Amino acid sequence: MLSARARLFAPWWLLAQRRQNILLLAVDDLNTDLGCYGHPLVRTPHVDRLAQHGIRFDRAYCQYPVCNPSRTSLLSGRYPERTGIFDNQTNPRSKLREAVFLPEYLRRQGYYTARVGKIYHDGMDGPDDWDLSLNPRPDTAAGTRGEGRNLTGGKFAFFRWLAAEGTDEDQPDGLIAKEAITILRQQRDKPLFLAVGFRKPHDPYIAPKRYYEPYPLEMIRGPEHPADDESDIPPAAYPPVRHNLGPLEGREFRRAYYACTSFMDAQLGKVLDASGLASETTIVFFGDHGLHLGEHGWWNKVTLFERSTRVPLIVVGPQVRDRGAVCRRPVELIDLYPTLMDCLGLSVPSGLQGASLRPLLENPEASWSRPAYTVVTRGNKLGRCLHTERYRYTEWDEGRLGAELYDHASDPHEYRNLVNDPRRRETVLELKRALAGVP
Ligand SMILES: [Ca+2]
Ligand SMILES: [Ca+2]
């Protein structure tokens, strides 16, 4: 340990050396169907292990329920209206010239920055983000063969599952874990920022067949909801094209998603074994947005329902006082950038709109007045919502295309839209004002 006096006079590189390493673990399209989030079937021992060593945020939300806008908001620390990124085609740098993205900022602060797999949406990295960026893909054919099918008769290409031949390393995520481990084992004189982006459970639902085995089809139930669930949902709440799966196809879809989740979890486990859950490393694990598995009659993301906007988020690090704790405060992915800066003792660059979660890392019950905020587009109209500790309140085109209020205290699955309930009038007015105030 350096004494306070020695620290004062130590050269910057020695101090930089003493900074915590950071392991950022991003998972594509991962909803909260995980062991530690209470799912009765899905096996995720390594995500669960991470949660036991850190703090699990039970009410974490993405800013936009699609890859590029969600990741752009997280990495720039700005809400979608500020980034101007609402789709997977627009490069963030074309809109956000003044922002310093998280990897580039850490690199400027003396970090060695490495990226393996999908952190930005593919192709959206900036020229100054990374010392090393790797995008491993298998050059073998075994992982493309096996038993599987398209669940829509080929109508929608992405509704495809495959219980593949070959090993983990015949799949991109197996190679991503392998490259991450190599980087973790290298000695270097700078602190490390390693960002690992797993590609599953994003479609197509391909995993080595042994990850399908814990999920025999007879164990998998289809989605259950009240028959009239959709009667109080504004049409704008759904994207324009619906893909209705039959009962058998729906169960196959769920099984494949669970298998891909367990496959990702096994790759995560390898990376955690190599990194250790060492106290000098801060680990952040998250999904970029959730996914419906047939709930509310929908089989994708791009909605503002809990299934699509709520994400797993786990933080492990020296700031976490109560290991294994659960925090129920509403938090959001744009909070991660200021949180990391706070934990590292670095100043934040200008323009960040999130809040440091450090008070919650130290005390998960700390008071917290910020709701989380998510937005989605419908053509040139916006749907915007707030997630408070109890409610989700949503306006479609400022209410012109409908509004929703769900009370998660009594209705966690969001079956009853209470926005027109006269007994909720005060709540609606209060949330309406709060939503109008989001910058
Ligand atoms: Ca995604
Ligand atoms: Ca309903």
Side-chain angles (χ1 to χ4, degrees):
M1 286 292 287
L2 289 176
S3 70
R5 188 179 159 75
R7 192 178 277 266
L8 203 61
F9 295 104
W12 68 268
W13 51 266
L14 197 57
L15 290 180
Q17 247 184 350
R18 297 184 55 77
R19 286 224 169 95
Q20 295 155 35
N21 291 330
I22 304 166
L23 179 55
L24 186 75
L25 299 160
V27 188
D28 208 359
D29 288 24
L30 184 68
N31 67 21
T32 53
D33 286 354
L34 302 166
C36 59
Y37 278 82
H39 197 278
L41 215 60
V42 179
R43 295 191 189 183
T44 51
H46 301 291
V47 180
D48 303 351
R49 168 157 63 115
L50 205 51
Q52 281 159 16
H53 280 84
I55 180 166
R56 176 172 75 76
F57 288 91
D58 197 55
R59 309 283 315 282
Y61 294 93
C62 67
Q63 265 48 69
Y64 194 109
V66 171
C67 306
N68 188 39
S70 171
R71 290 161 184 255
T72 298
S73 280
L74 186 159
L75 294 165
S76 70
R78 289 153 166 86
Y79 289 123
E81 284 108 316
R82 192 72 62 81
T83 67
I85 302 300
F86 299 98
D87 61 41
N88 277 346
Q89 286 73 44
T90 310
N91 190 304
R93 322 277 159 169
S94 69
K95 301 265 183 181
L96 257 177
R97 295 184 199 284
E98 83 292 356
V100 186
F101 288 73
L102 175 66
E104 184 182 349
Y105 189 70
L106 286 169
R107 197 167 174 224
R108 286 187 195 175
Q109 304 294 326
Y111 273 81
Y112 179 83
T113 61
R115 184 268 288 174
V116 189
K118 181 171 170 179
I119 296 300
Y120 288 91
H121 194 54
D122 286 319
M124 303 297 185
D125 304 68
D128 300 314
D129 280 320
W130 310 108
D131 290 293
L132 176 69
S133 64
L134 299 173
N135 209 11
R137 300 274 186 183
D139 53 12
T140 52
T144 64
R145 292 191 296 255
E147 185 201 347
R149 67 166 179 145
N150 184 295
L151 297 170
T152 57
K155 191 173 171 200
F156 299 101
F158 61 91
F159 278 106
R160 181 163 73 87
W161 67 269
L162 184 76
E165 295 171 12
T167 66
D168 292 3
E169 290 175 12
D170 290 307
Q171 301 297 332
D173 281 348
L175 296 179
I176 286 167
K178 187 178 170 193
E179 294 288 358
I181 291 164
T182 302
I183 295 167
L184 284 166
R185 291 193 173 143
Q186 284 161 352
Q187 296 291 322
R188 58 180 64 78
D189 56 6
K190 290 180 172 184
L192 173 66
F193 173 58
L194 173 60
V196 181
F198 291 116
R199 296 184 174 280
K200 294 297 145 191
H202 192 291
D203 65 71
Y205 302 102
I206 301 171
K209 63 182 172 201
R210 71 187 175 98
Y211 296 99
Y212 278 77
E213 284 161 8
Y215 306 108
L217 199 53
E218 39 304 354
M219 267 171 68
I220 310 291
R221 301 215 311 226
E224 290 164 4
H225 36 236
D228 65 347
D229 178 29
E230 287 186 38
S231 65
D232 59 1
I233 300 174
Y238 291 96
V241 177
R242 300 287 289 268
H243 357 73
N244 297 313
L245 298 186
L248 174 64
E249 286 74 19
R251 287 166 57 222
E252 285 184 41
F253 180 94
R254 290 179 148 211
R255 175 182 64 167
Y257 185 82
Y258 299 159
C260 288
T261 299
S262 287
F263 168 56
M264 175 283 299
D265 181 80
Q267 310 322 301
L268 169 73
K270 297 174 191 174
V271 175
L272 295 181
D273 288 344
S275 82
L277 293 159
S279 62
E280 65 272 20
T281 302
T282 293
I283 304 176
V284 177
F285 172 93
F286 67 94
D288 66 344
H289 49 75
L291 200 84
H292 289 244
L293 305 179
E295 297 87 357
H296 308 290
W298 182 242
W299 299 91
N300 204 328
K301 45 221 181 193
V302 214
T303 79
L304 294 177
F305 286 106
E306 283 278 286
R307 287 269 69 189
S308 172
T309 59
R310 183 174 171 229
V311 297
L313 174 64
I314 298 167
V315 179
V316 177
Q319 284 75 23
V320 176
R321 297 262 168 89
D322 185 6
R323 286 164 33 137
V326 178
C327 178
R328 300 184 199 283
R329 304 285 185 248
V331 301
E332 41 194 345
L333 294 180
I334 61 163
D335 294 336
L336 294 177
Y337 193 155
T339 301
L340 284 171
M341 296 309 112
D342 194 6
C343 292
L344 297 171
L346 293 170
S347 60
V348 290
S350 62
L352 301 194
Q353 294 180 288
S356 169
L357 303 176
R358 189 170 175 173
L360 297 174
L361 301 182
E362 293 173 353
N363 173 13
E365 314 259 302
S367 70
W368 191 256
S369 58
R370 284 175 61 97
Y373 175 66
T374 309
V375 59
V376 73
T377 51
R378 294 287 181 257
N380 59 3
K381 307 280 196 265
L382 282 182
R384 303 168 70 241
C385 77
L386 285 182
H387 316 266
T388 70
E389 206 154 319
R390 179 165 173 183
Y391 297 103
R392 171 165 70 93
Y393 174 69
T394 302
E395 291 182 356
W396 297 96
D397 191 27
E398 298 180 342
R400 287 181 284 271
L401 295 177
E404 294 162 273
L405 176 74
Y406 297 101
D407 184 347
H408 293 152
S410 58
D411 182 25
H413 302 296
E414 305 190 315
Y415 294 141
R416 292 183 301 280
N417 180 3
L418 302 172
V419 79
N420 295 319
D421 183 338
R423 289 166 298 181
R424 308 292 180 138
R425 207 164 151 263
E426 282 305 308
T427 302
V428 168
L429 284 174
E430 194 183 307
L431 290 167
K432 192 176 184 58
R433 271 195 299 272
L435 183 62
V438 175

